[in-house]
Amino acid sequence: PEPGRCAHFVLRKRRFCRMIPAPGRRFCGEHGHEEEQNDRKRIPCPLDPKHTVYEDQLQKHLKKCNSREKPKPVYFVQDINAGLKDVAELPEKQVPLSSLSTEELQNLIIKLKKASNGVELHLKEQILSHQALQEALNDPKNGESASKHLKQQASILGNMEKLHLLGPGRCFVEFGAGRGKLSHWVDVALQNVESVQFLLVERATTRFKVDGKHKRRDSVFERLQVDIQHLCLNKVPILEKKRLPVVGIGKHLCGAATDLALRCLVESYTTCCDGGDEEPAPKRSRAAQTEVAPHNCAGNESTTEDHKPVAGIVIALCCHHKCDWTHYVGREFFKSVGLGPVEFHYFQRMSSWATCGMRETTSKASTSEDSEDQTNDTEEHEQPLSRTESGSDTLQGILSAEERKEIGCLCKRLIDHGRIEYLQHQGYKTALQYYTESAVSLENVLLTAVPSPSLIPEPTI
């Protein structure tokens, strides 16, 4: 062993343990039993069997073990944004695509095309940029991946600016924040603007965060380590205190996370933390839309008539194959066109054909440039589907690669249309557009929504 290091030889790694033992000891705490002269026994920790603990010190260890369950933050409300509560609506068993017969697959495609009548399939292209990123975009040191990220972030900011969402007195909530790069560039764009807050929502711990770049700045950054499913924005202290209008943003917000974020914003936050209902809330009057949490409403009498809890939503969509009927906000739309959870299950799996095309080359080609593009920002993006999952054997001789791609895109637009209708019923003016070129990212659709006074009905008498 190296001097000052543990003398235990790790067979699996074919080297000595590199931990530093206590003064006068040959082994570290994990391997100290090898030199114990008594009968003390070490057992796997029940919270995390990857490490061991002395059996007679188990209770003491459980109180300080890093794997113990942490206290829930005040803004944690179990399943507040989860959506469907009646599991009876879900099918008992989900049959994979590969198990479908040719006839069943063709019937599914007929249903898909019939349901897509009236759905906007040809999105307009709105590739914009923002001056805040010009210097970074022109940096010759940029690699291909960094350049792709910057182009997407610049276009997202450009679309936010066009919607007049980049302004003072707002709280920007980045869902699936990862390293927090999108919030970073929004902050740069608003460097001379006062009273700006940032909430970075990410359920996992993240390395190489850019949060440190914002020290000694007027803007306030706060990380919320919580699953979006359980996030009640009304109970976040900084929002509870200042009640700033919220702008929800996200870059490549995977599948169900988009639906959870939408419900978090337009239901649980807008309706004073009584969201999480199965059905979308009815349209509300202007007065109802300005409501805040009951325990704070009294202190906000000076709130202007034009104030709206959610000023806007800008989310780059991603990974429709990871959507979930339980959380999906467009269930009512699917039911209105004669579809249900079974069809949704197949359509969300088939949506992956839009980016991988189910080509014969299932290695790097099917990975697509998009997966490389996302590697550094998040670990939640699923790898390409296997041939068995995708049902490619069933498809042989039925659909060409181009037809599969077209069907995959159709599935994505249908799922997105359900989200659009959901937001419109909540009183938002919505849009879907291509915000970047497919060569930059195959997941290149941006969902935007801003409150639309024209869609808010007058109070009933």
Side-chain angles (χ1 to χ4, degrees):
E2 300 176 20
R5 302 287 176 170
C6 177
H8 174 80
F9 186 79
V10 186
L11 287 174
R12 181 173 60 86
K13 297 183 178 180
R14 297 182 182 179
R15 61 166 175 78
F16 285 95
C17 172
R18 292 173 179 166
M19 298 297 289
I20 300 175
R25 308 296 290 267
R26 294 184 58 237
F27 296 90
C28 66
E30 182 67 20
H31 304 117
H33 60 281
E34 296 188 16
E35 62 179 348
E36 290 291 336
Q37 300 299 318
N38 51 35
D39 296 330
R40 295 181 75 191
K41 179 183 178 183
R42 291 187 74 88
I43 59 173
C45 172
L47 299 179
D48 182 4
K50 291 181 180 179
H51 66 274
T52 61
V53 60
Y54 283 115
E55 190 173 26
D56 57 5
Q57 290 186 336
L58 178 60
Q59 295 307 314
K60 180 180 178 181
H61 171 79
L62 292 177
K63 294 178 181 178
K64 62 181 182 180
C65 179
N66 289 333
S67 298
R68 71 189 184 281
E69 186 176 0
K70 308 295 190 299
K72 295 288 189 294
V74 292
Y75 45 80
F76 181 97
V77 178
Q78 185 72 38
D79 293 330
I80 186 171
N81 305 312
L84 185 65
K85 294 184 174 66
D86 184 12
V87 293
E89 187 178 322
L90 299 174
E92 291 184 8
K93 186 179 180 181
Q94 294 182 334
V95 180
L97 278 172
S98 56
S99 301
L100 296 180
S101 66
T102 302
E103 184 180 356
E104 288 173 324
L105 187 62
Q106 288 174 335
N107 287 336
L108 261 181
I109 296 172
I110 292 171
K111 282 186 177 182
L112 173 65
K113 292 182 177 179
K114 183 179 179 181
S116 299
N117 287 334
V119 173
E120 182 59 52
L121 303 177
H122 303 289
L123 308 183
K124 68 175 181 179
E125 193 175 84
Q126 191 156 281
I127 302 174
L128 305 177
S129 191
H130 196 281
Q131 58 183 7
L133 290 93
Q134 289 310 305
E135 185 179 345
L137 282 166
N138 296 327
D139 189 345
K141 296 180 181 178
N142 287 336
E144 183 181 5
S145 179
S147 179
K148 288 180 178 181
H149 281 298
L150 289 168
K151 287 178 181 177
Q152 293 174 74
Q153 289 153 350
S155 186
I156 292 174
L157 260 67
N159 278 277
M160 291 176 67
E161 186 174 51
K162 186 170 183 178
L163 293 170
H164 308 291
L165 296 178
L166 296 177
R170 289 177 180 171
C171 178
F172 295 87
V173 183
E174 183 180 358
F175 294 94
R179 296 170 60 194
K181 277 296 193 70
L182 184 56
S183 290
H184 164 72
W185 288 116
V186 173
D187 183 44
V188 172
L190 299 174
Q191 56 185 337
N192 298 320
V193 174
E194 295 180 353
S195 187
V196 178
Q197 318 282 340
F198 290 90
L199 295 177
L200 280 63
V201 183
E202 179 59 66
R203 66 181 179 182
T205 54
T206 308
R207 300 177 65 193
F208 310 118
K209 298 185 287 287
V210 298
D211 303 27
K213 294 184 177 181
H214 310 289
K215 292 179 180 177
R216 298 183 298 276
R217 294 286 299 276
D218 293 334
S219 52
V220 177
F221 276 72
E222 182 181 346
R223 276 194 173 261
L224 308 180
Q225 188 174 338
V226 61
D227 194 308
I228 305 170
Q229 181 171 332
H230 313 301
L231 172 61
C232 179
L233 285 175
N234 274 296
K235 295 190 176 183
V236 177
I238 201 168
L239 285 177
E240 204 171 28
K241 180 180 179 182
K242 297 194 174 184
R243 312 309 300 179
L244 295 173
V246 162
V247 178
I249 60 176
K251 174 175 172 285
H252 288 171
L253 196 56
C254 280
T258 293
D259 299 298
L260 295 172
L262 294 179
R263 192 176 282 109
C264 175
L265 290 165
V266 305
E267 285 190 49
S268 66
Y269 183 61
T270 304
T271 59
C272 296
C273 216
D274 61 356
D277 299 329
E278 178 181 343
E279 305 300 332
K283 297 179 183 179
R284 293 176 295 281
S285 66
R286 182 186 297 272
Q289 287 230 355
T290 61
E291 254 183 49
V292 292
H295 54 280
N296 266 40
C297 288
N300 284 274
E301 294 176 358
S302 61
T303 302
T304 64
E305 190 182 23
D306 291 332
H307 168 76
K308 293 181 176 62
V310 179
I313 301 169
V314 180
I315 294 176
L317 304 173
C318 179
C319 298
H320 293 72
H321 63 276
K322 295 181 76 174
C323 289
D324 190 313
W325 178 258
T326 305
H327 305 311
Y328 182 50
V329 296
R331 291 193 303 272
E332 287 306 305
F333 162 70
F334 259 64
K335 292 175 183 177
S336 72
V337 291
L339 303 175
V342 175
E343 289 83 7
F344 181 84
H345 164 70
Y346 290 125
F347 292 163
Q348 53 116 180
R349 302 311 293 176
M350 290 158 66
S351 69
S352 65
W353 298 352
T355 51
C356 71
M358 299 320 307
R359 301 177 183 91
E360 290 301 313
T361 52
T362 56
S363 57
K364 292 184 179 179
S366 64
T367 304
S368 83
E369 294 177 11
D370 181 53
S371 61
E372 177 189 352
D373 177 42
Q374 300 162 13
T375 302
N376 295 330
D377 265 351
T378 178
E379 296 177 357
E380 295 183 12
H381 294 267
E382 204 171 58
Q383 293 299 312
L385 303 178
S386 68
R387 291 171 61 88
T388 304
E389 286 180 297
S390 64
S392 58
D393 292 336
T394 307
L395 297 172
Q396 294 300 323
I398 303 174
L399 299 170
S400 66
E402 235 3 85
E403 288 173 324
R404 293 193 287 269
K405 182 179 178 181
E406 183 182 340
I407 290 171
C409 289
L410 209 57
C411 291
K412 281 178 174 284
R413 296 295 76 81
L414 192 69
I415 292 172
D416 290 340
H417 187 78
R419 292 164 169 167
I420 290 294
E421 284 213 355
Y422 166 79
L423 289 169
Q424 288 175 346
H425 289 160
Q426 297 286 343
Y428 286 83
K429 181 181 179 182
T430 60
L432 289 171
Q433 59 256 325
Y434 294 117
Y435 76 103
T436 192
E437 298 172 349
S438 58
V440 173
S441 173
L442 291 176
E443 297 281 18
N444 60 343
V445 174
L446 189 70
L447 167 67
T448 63
V450 291
S452 177
S454 62
L455 296 179
I456 303 174
E458 293 298 324
T460 55
I461 299 175

PDB file of all heavy atoms in Angstrom, residues 381-393:
ATOM      1  N   HIS A 381     -31.854  11.801 -20.001  1.00  0.00           N
ATOM      2  CA  HIS A 381     -32.287  11.485 -21.358  1.00  0.00           C
ATOM      3  C   HIS A 381     -32.006  10.021 -21.640  1.00  0.00           C
ATOM      4  O   HIS A 381     -30.885   9.554 -21.568  1.00  0.00           O
ATOM      5  CB  HIS A 381     -31.571  12.378 -22.372  1.00  0.00           C
ATOM      6  CG  HIS A 381     -31.961  13.805 -22.234  1.00  0.00           C
ATOM      7  ND1 HIS A 381     -32.976  14.365 -22.971  1.00  0.00           N
ATOM      8  CD2 HIS A 381     -31.505  14.777 -21.424  1.00  0.00           C
ATOM      9  CE1 HIS A 381     -33.117  15.627 -22.627  1.00  0.00           C
ATOM     10  NE2 HIS A 381     -32.230  15.898 -21.688  1.00  0.00           N
ATOM     11  N   GLU A 382     -33.050   9.301 -21.971  1.00  0.00           N
ATOM     12  CA  GLU A 382     -32.960   7.867 -22.182  1.00  0.00           C
ATOM     13  C   GLU A 382     -32.197   7.549 -23.460  1.00  0.00           C
ATOM     14  O   GLU A 382     -32.221   8.296 -24.421  1.00  0.00           O
ATOM     15  CB  GLU A 382     -34.381   7.311 -22.279  1.00  0.00           C
ATOM     16  CG  GLU A 382     -34.483   5.858 -21.933  1.00  0.00           C
ATOM     17  CD  GLU A 382     -35.944   5.457 -21.854  1.00  0.00           C
ATOM     18  OE1 GLU A 382     -36.660   5.621 -22.850  1.00  0.00           O
ATOM     19  OE2 GLU A 382     -36.355   4.989 -20.796  1.00  0.00           O
ATOM     20  N   GLN A 383     -31.543   6.411 -23.461  1.00  0.00           N
ATOM     21  CA  GLN A 383     -30.834   5.967 -24.647  1.00  0.00           C
ATOM     22  C   GLN A 383     -31.830   5.498 -25.700  1.00  0.00           C
ATOM     23  O   GLN A 383     -32.994   5.226 -25.406  1.00  0.00           O
ATOM     24  CB  GLN A 383     -29.875   4.822 -24.291  1.00  0.00           C
ATOM     25  CG  GLN A 383     -28.738   5.273 -23.395  1.00  0.00           C
ATOM     26  CD  GLN A 383     -27.891   6.331 -24.061  1.00  0.00           C
ATOM     27  OE1 GLN A 383     -27.487   6.184 -25.205  1.00  0.00           O
ATOM     28  NE2 GLN A 383     -27.627   7.419 -23.357  1.00  0.00           N
ATOM     29  N   PRO A 384     -31.415   5.377 -26.964  1.00  0.00           N
ATOM     30  CA  PRO A 384     -32.332   4.937 -28.019  1.00  0.00           C
ATOM     31  C   PRO A 384     -32.976   3.603 -27.687  1.00  0.00           C
ATOM     32  O   PRO A 384     -32.383   2.760 -27.015  1.00  0.00           O
ATOM     33  CB  PRO A 384     -31.428   4.812 -29.246  1.00  0.00           C
ATOM     34  CG  PRO A 384     -30.267   5.699 -28.952  1.00  0.00           C
ATOM     35  CD  PRO A 384     -30.069   5.642 -27.468  1.00  0.00           C
ATOM     36  N   LEU A 385     -34.197   3.400 -28.164  1.00  0.00           N
ATOM     37  CA  LEU A 385     -34.912   2.178 -27.883  1.00  0.00           C
ATOM     38  C   LEU A 385     -34.273   1.002 -28.597  1.00  0.00           C
ATOM     39  O   LEU A 385     -33.752   1.126 -29.682  1.00  0.00           O
ATOM     40  CB  LEU A 385     -36.365   2.311 -28.350  1.00  0.00           C
ATOM     41  CG  LEU A 385     -37.156   3.483 -27.752  1.00  0.00           C
ATOM     42  CD1 LEU A 385     -38.547   3.491 -28.353  1.00  0.00           C
ATOM     43  CD2 LEU A 385     -37.201   3.382 -26.255  1.00  0.00           C
ATOM     44  N   SER A 386     -34.351  -0.155 -27.941  1.00  0.00           N
ATOM     45  CA  SER A 386     -33.813  -1.349 -28.567  1.00  0.00           C
ATOM     46  C   SER A 386     -34.758  -1.822 -29.668  1.00  0.00           C
ATOM     47  O   SER A 386     -35.902  -1.402 -29.753  1.00  0.00           O
ATOM     48  CB  SER A 386     -33.666  -2.461 -27.512  1.00  0.00           C
ATOM     49  OG  SER A 386     -34.955  -2.875 -27.083  1.00  0.00           O
ATOM     50  N   ARG A 387     -34.278  -2.721 -30.506  1.00  0.00           N
ATOM     51  CA  ARG A 387     -35.105  -3.220 -31.612  1.00  0.00           C
ATOM     52  C   ARG A 387     -36.346  -3.936 -31.081  1.00  0.00           C
ATOM     53  O   ARG A 387     -37.416  -3.872 -31.666  1.00  0.00           O
ATOM     54  CB  ARG A 387     -34.276  -4.170 -32.486  1.00  0.00           C
ATOM     55  CG  ARG A 387     -33.177  -3.463 -33.252  1.00  0.00           C
ATOM     56  CD  ARG A 387     -32.263  -4.486 -33.930  1.00  0.00           C
ATOM     57  NE  ARG A 387     -32.987  -5.310 -34.888  1.00  0.00           N
ATOM     58  CZ  ARG A 387     -33.166  -4.967 -36.163  1.00  0.00           C
ATOM     59  NH1 ARG A 387     -32.703  -3.823 -36.612  1.00  0.00           N
ATOM     60  NH2 ARG A 387     -33.817  -5.764 -36.987  1.00  0.00           N
ATOM     61  N   THR A 388     -36.199  -4.620 -29.923  1.00  0.00           N
ATOM     62  CA  THR A 388     -37.340  -5.335 -29.360  1.00  0.00           C
ATOM     63  C   THR A 388     -38.400  -4.368 -28.870  1.00  0.00           C
ATOM     64  O   THR A 388     -39.585  -4.532 -29.119  1.00  0.00           O
ATOM     65  CB  THR A 388     -36.884  -6.226 -28.181  1.00  0.00           C
ATOM     66  OG1 THR A 388     -35.860  -7.095 -28.645  1.00  0.00           O
ATOM     67  CG2 THR A 388     -38.045  -7.034 -27.634  1.00  0.00           C
ATOM     68  N   GLU A 389     -37.970  -3.317 -28.138  1.00  0.00           N
ATOM     69  CA  GLU A 389     -38.908  -2.327 -27.622  1.00  0.00           C
ATOM     70  C   GLU A 389     -39.659  -1.634 -28.736  1.00  0.00           C
ATOM     71  O   GLU A 389     -40.833  -1.328 -28.634  1.00  0.00           O
ATOM     72  CB  GLU A 389     -38.159  -1.266 -26.812  1.00  0.00           C
ATOM     73  CG  GLU A 389     -37.692  -1.731 -25.454  1.00  0.00           C
ATOM     74  CD  GLU A 389     -36.971  -0.613 -24.750  1.00  0.00           C
ATOM     75  OE1 GLU A 389     -35.918  -0.181 -25.265  1.00  0.00           O
ATOM     76  OE2 GLU A 389     -37.429  -0.160 -23.703  1.00  0.00           O
ATOM     77  N   SER A 390     -38.950  -1.335 -29.808  1.00  0.00           N
ATOM     78  CA  SER A 390     -39.537  -0.528 -30.874  1.00  0.00           C
ATOM     79  C   SER A 390     -40.415  -1.334 -31.815  1.00  0.00           C
ATOM     80  O   SER A 390     -41.187  -0.777 -32.570  1.00  0.00           O
ATOM     81  CB  SER A 390     -38.419   0.132 -31.684  1.00  0.00           C
ATOM     82  OG  SER A 390     -37.654  -0.871 -32.313  1.00  0.00           O
ATOM     83  N   GLY A 391     -40.281  -2.632 -31.749  1.00  0.00           N
ATOM     84  CA  GLY A 391     -41.076  -3.458 -32.651  1.00  0.00           C
ATOM     85  C   GLY A 391     -40.591  -3.405 -34.082  1.00  0.00           C
ATOM     86  O   GLY A 391     -41.379  -3.545 -35.012  1.00  0.00           O
ATOM     87  N   SER A 392     -39.294  -3.214 -34.285  1.00  0.00           N
ATOM     88  CA  SER A 392     -38.778  -3.061 -35.643  1.00  0.00           C
ATOM     89  C   SER A 392     -38.970  -4.326 -36.473  1.00  0.00           C
ATOM     90  O   SER A 392     -39.118  -4.253 -37.686  1.00  0.00           O
ATOM     91  CB  SER A 392     -37.295  -2.672 -35.603  1.00  0.00           C
ATOM     92  OG  SER A 392     -36.551  -3.645 -34.902  1.00  0.00           O
ATOM     93  N   ASP A 393     -38.971  -5.498 -35.803  1.00  0.00           N
ATOM     94  CA  ASP A 393     -39.177  -6.739 -36.546  1.00  0.00           C
ATOM     95  C   ASP A 393     -40.582  -6.774 -37.150  1.00  0.00           C
ATOM     96  O   ASP A 393     -40.791  -7.237 -38.273  1.00  0.00           O
ATOM     97  CB  ASP A 393     -38.986  -7.946 -35.622  1.00  0.00           C
ATOM     98  CG  ASP A 393     -37.528  -8.092 -35.189  1.00  0.00           C
ATOM     99  OD1 ASP A 393     -36.656  -7.596 -35.921  1.00  0.00           O
ATOM    100  OD2 ASP A 393     -37.284  -8.683 -34.135  1.00  0.00           O
TER     101      ASP A 393
END
